Amino acid sequence: MEQLSTSSRLTRLDNLHMTGEHLPVSDPMAELQRAANLRIHNGIGLRPVPDITEAVLRECWQMRRQRAFWLDLTAPTPAALQAVAMLFGFHLLTVEDALSPEHRPKIDEHEDYLFMMFQSVAGISDETVLPTMGVGHCATNRLAVYLGVGFLVTVHDRGFAPVDEVAEIVDARDTTMDQHLDLVLHAIVDRMIDQVFPVLSDVEDRIQEIEAHIFTEQDQDVLPTVLKTKRELMTLRRLMGLQREMLLRLSRREDLPCIEAKTAIYFRDVYDHAVRLEETCVMLIELATNVAEAHLAVASRRTNEVMKFLTIFSTIWMPLTFIVGVYGMNFEYLPELKVWWFYPFLWVVMIGIVGGMLMFFRRKKWL
């Protein structure tokens, strides 16, 4: 592949636009030093690369069929990622996708490599069931992957635990990378998918806790929290569904030259985990829906109890109000006014009316 000179690369970087803005032309290699982690396997073991320069990366690319390498980029600047893309011949649109915080998971086939986008839940916040930043309503970790014969390039926007864990394994077992970079990718994706299970377990515990409080006197208006949780679960289900289709393609290989047959079996296991996650999301969405409906039913029942009490109270007072209203009229000739026992008798009548109405309501099971 024809290599571009350093000056021509910097000129192209100056003219490129990312998200409507000009890319900076400060030294991309200096920025790459901060963000990059490079591992090279020479068939015998790993070779440490303390200083990542353009010459080192060019040599890695030219010797990739003899010496596999893994370049990991953490929160690279657009200029640094563009420099890597032009050195390795990656399409510039993949760079834009890799830097987009809300890009949907996908897998694209190019002539010499696969480009993949993954999304994983970042964690749990104390304010709500899932964090509210990132894709949809879930805080997610974005992972962009370039996979080809003899090379693996991973890009993520923050510290990513699955990548760090796999990097430690690769450093401890330096033969893992020997022309088996699809196994390295499998290890990363496997941990990325598995880290969602405790997240969903915590979500389920919180939903059940909300459900338990619905039927207590301390119940509060939990409907906004439940509906927000449901939206977050639907976002997570969509992400898992898209990645399930990606993993299905990887497990079947489907003419993907970078995935070996023995590695496809491992991707099939990750695919099963993704299916379980999607089914769990569906179950939790249904549980959240049931909790929301139960909350509305309990709130409606309590409203009905209050209205029933007020209605009975008003009904009982209606005849009493009528009686005192009649004898509160300013007429001179009322026969009962001269009878000494009529006032206590009137109280007995009103108390009898109240007691009779209460007995009638209880017989009708209105009380």
Side-chain angles (χ1 to χ4, degrees):
M1 183 177 296
E2 182 182 357
Q3 298 293 330
L4 298 173
S5 65
T6 304
S7 59
S8 62
R9 288 192 188 94
L10 293 178
T11 302
R12 289 186 60 183
L13 283 172
D14 189 30
N15 295 330
L16 278 172
H17 297 270
M18 289 292 293
T19 63
E21 297 179 359
H22 290 283
L23 289 177
V25 292
S26 53
D27 187 2
M29 286 300 141
E31 297 172 353
L32 196 62
Q33 285 278 1
R34 174 193 57 81
N37 216 329
L38 178 62
R39 291 172 174 84
I40 303 175
H41 196 283
N42 58 9
I44 301 176
L46 287 177
R47 177 166 66 88
V49 185
D51 188 23
I52 301 175
T53 64
E54 184 178 354
V56 169
L57 292 178
R58 184 185 297 110
E59 181 185 2
C60 288
W61 182 255
Q62 292 173 348
M63 301 294 294
R64 64 187 182 279
R65 298 186 183 276
Q66 289 79 35
R67 300 183 306 181
F69 72 92
W70 174 18
L71 178 63
D72 180 53
L73 302 174
T74 303
T77 62
L81 189 54
Q82 287 281 359
V84 172
M86 285 185 286
L87 277 172
F88 295 165
F90 297 152
H91 199 287
L92 295 180
L93 287 179
T94 63
V95 176
E96 184 177 356
D97 293 343
L99 295 174
S100 175
E102 298 186 1
H103 202 287
R104 56 182 292 173
K106 69 171 185 175
I107 177 170
D108 289 339
E109 299 179 52
H110 294 266
E111 184 177 355
D112 299 322
Y113 62 93
L114 295 177
F115 174 73
M116 291 165 277
M117 288 290 301
F118 295 94
Q119 294 277 5
S120 177
V121 174
I124 292 290
S125 71
D126 296 331
E127 299 177 357
T128 181
V129 176
L130 291 177
T132 55
M133 39 185 293
V135 177
H137 299 278
C138 301
T140 57
N141 275 327
R142 179 186 72 252
L143 177 67
V145 177
Y146 298 87
L147 176 66
V149 177
F151 70 91
L152 173 67
V153 179
T154 53
V155 184
H156 43 94
D157 54 355
R158 60 173 71 92
F160 197 25
V163 173
D164 297 337
E165 294 172 5
V166 174
E168 292 178 2
I169 295 175
V170 168
D171 292 339
R173 308 172 188 175
D174 56 8
T175 58
T176 305
M177 274 182 50
D178 186 15
Q179 297 300 327
H180 298 294
L181 291 171
D182 51 350
L183 285 175
V184 176
L185 174 62
H186 159 265
I188 295 174
V189 176
D190 186 33
R191 286 163 174 76
M192 183 189 69
I193 295 295
D194 286 347
Q195 75 175 6
V196 184
F197 282 105
V199 172
L200 292 183
S201 178
D202 196 4
V203 171
E204 183 176 7
D205 292 341
R206 295 193 184 190
I207 293 178
Q208 291 177 348
E209 183 180 354
I210 292 174
E211 185 179 22
H213 284 291
I214 286 178
F215 301 98
T216 64
E217 295 298 329
Q218 292 79 21
D219 176 37
Q220 299 176 351
D221 187 11
V222 299
L223 190 59
T225 302
V226 174
L227 294 180
K228 189 175 186 180
T229 302
K230 183 178 177 181
R231 290 195 302 269
E232 293 166 351
L233 289 169
M234 292 176 67
T235 300
L236 183 57
R237 177 193 175 189
R238 179 178 59 83
L239 292 177
M240 289 300 105
L242 293 172
Q243 291 177 135
R244 174 177 56 82
E245 296 300 324
M246 293 173 56
L247 293 169
L248 181 61
R249 291 190 61 190
L250 293 173
S251 65
R252 292 178 176 177
R253 299 181 67 193
E254 293 185 358
D255 299 326
L256 302 179
C258 307
I259 307 298
E260 298 183 8
K262 61 180 181 180
T263 310
I265 300 176
Y266 293 103
F267 278 112
R268 195 173 306 154
D269 178 69
V270 182
Y271 167 77
D272 293 337
H273 292 182
V275 171
R276 284 176 50 200
L277 283 177
E278 190 175 8
E279 292 174 349
T280 304
C281 287
V282 173
M283 182 269 294
L284 292 179
I285 290 172
E286 183 176 355
L287 179 60
T289 301
N290 293 338
V291 169
E293 293 176 351
H295 172 73
L296 293 176
V298 170
S300 177
R301 180 177 177 274
R302 289 175 180 170
T303 302
N304 290 339
E305 290 290 336
V306 173
M307 293 304 298
K308 182 173 69 173
F309 172 78
L310 295 177
T311 301
I312 291 175
F313 184 81
S314 301
T315 303
I316 291 175
W317 274 95
M318 284 175 62
L320 306 184
T321 304
F322 172 76
I323 293 174
V324 299
V326 168
Y327 287 94
M329 292 186 296
N330 296 322
F331 287 95
E332 183 178 356
Y333 298 102
L334 288 176
E336 299 85 354
L337 293 180
K338 303 298 182 179
V339 180
W340 67 268
W341 49 263
F342 187 75
Y343 179 72
F345 174 75
L346 190 60
W347 273 105
V348 172
V349 171
M350 289 190 294
I351 294 174
I353 290 174
V354 172
M357 294 182 70
L358 290 176
M359 291 179 59
F360 178 77
F361 292 155
R362 186 174 297 276
R363 183 175 299 177
K364 289 292 186 179
K365 297 182 178 180
W366 296 345
L367 288 177

